[in-house]
Amino acid sequence: MGFRNLVVVGLLGLYYAISDAGLVDLDTSGPFFTWEGTNPNGDRVQEKLDRAMANSDFASLFPNANAIVLVTPVSDHYAIFSDLCPLANDSSAQRFFRFDNSWLGEEGLEAVVREGWRDFMQKRDDLISDVKSWGRKRNRFFWKRRNFVVRQLENHSDNANVAEIAKIKDEWNQILLTEDTRRKKQAKLFWYKHGDKN
């Protein structure tokens, strides 16, 4: 049996395993391709090798689950983050203030808190409003910068400056740390609200 036939048999086996398990792709956002490399000529090659899949039991437990493809500069494969309980983007959720732990390491927060902190009982609403306004501006800047960095990582040319690419990858790692802080808080809130499902 030749190499080509072995590949076909392997792919058929994978196809049957996915079908037997009743797996389907989760809704996915982010870059389409999940792997990046070069061919023998040195040309850039991108493929969709990785995916997030689930069966009907999983879908009934997490009906809103989706997957997000994340650029990971330390690997040739992109990471796939499965968000089991995405926050609803309805107007009632927007009325409440939620402090974001990732803000704690940000410059400018302490000044906003000091300015807003006078007599707490009288000024707490002002403090919440100030931090909320600051947080909105900061988040707007963060997401714009995040999207810019993702575009830079996805679209950098083969002859791009190595130092510049390294700088962008460092910034991406900082963005991932910030998102990790936010995800940990969301997971903790989900656990408090819904308890341990095991």
Side-chain angles (χ1 to χ4, degrees):
M1 181 179 286
F3 175 75
R4 190 179 184 90
N5 289 338
L6 283 173
V7 170
V8 170
V9 169
L11 289 174
L12 278 174
L14 177 62
Y15 172 79
Y16 289 129
I18 289 170
S19 296
D20 290 348
L23 296 176
V24 294
D25 285 318
L26 288 178
D27 287 338
T28 305
S29 61
F32 177 78
F33 298 112
T34 62
W35 176 84
E36 181 178 336
T38 55
N39 66 15
N41 298 332
D43 298 326
R44 185 177 179 207
V45 177
Q46 292 181 302
E47 297 287 344
K48 184 175 180 69
L49 298 180
D50 310 287
R51 55 189 65 225
M53 305 183 91
N55 62 17
S56 57
D57 292 339
F58 181 93
S60 64
L61 282 172
F62 303 102
N64 298 320
N66 60 36
I68 305 161
V69 177
L70 303 171
V71 177
T72 47
V74 293
S75 171
D76 55 356
H77 286 266
Y78 291 176
I80 299 181
F81 173 78
S82 295
D83 194 354
L84 303 183
C85 300
L87 294 176
N89 193 18
D90 59 17
S91 57
S92 62
Q94 300 300 317
R95 284 198 294 261
F96 298 102
F97 168 72
R98 290 182 180 91
F99 186 83
D100 189 332
N101 284 351
S102 68
W103 296 347
L104 289 171
E106 295 285 333
E107 203 175 305
L109 176 62
E110 185 178 345
V112 169
V113 173
R114 282 186 190 278
E115 186 64 30
W117 188 279
R118 294 192 184 91
D119 181 357
F120 181 71
M121 293 310 288
Q122 292 178 0
K123 295 290 184 179
R124 78 180 170 147
D125 290 342
D126 290 345
L127 175 63
I128 288 172
S129 177
D130 291 346
V131 174
K132 195 177 192 179
S133 174
W134 176 87
R136 275 198 198 115
K137 287 177 192 166
R138 182 261 176 207
N139 284 348
R140 226 176 282 126
F141 172 79
F142 174 86
W143 286 105
K144 279 183 186 173
R145 188 65 194 169
R146 181 193 185 282
N147 293 336
F148 172 78
V149 170
V150 168
R151 282 196 304 276
Q152 293 291 100
L153 287 170
E154 289 174 354
N155 301 324
H156 68 79
S157 62
D158 295 333
N159 58 358
N161 182 325
V162 174
E164 220 171 88
I165 292 172
K167 186 177 173 188
I168 291 171
K169 287 183 176 183
D170 285 342
E171 186 174 357
W172 179 245
N173 286 329
Q174 288 303 312
I175 288 170
L176 291 179
L177 284 174
T178 300
E179 289 186 339
D180 186 53
T181 303
R182 181 178 292 117
R183 297 291 182 188
K184 283 178 182 172
K185 181 185 177 192
Q186 289 175 351
K188 196 181 290 185
L189 287 173
F190 179 82
W191 190 87
Y192 285 145
K193 189 173 180 182
H194 301 288
D196 191 352
K197 298 290 186 184
N198 290 333

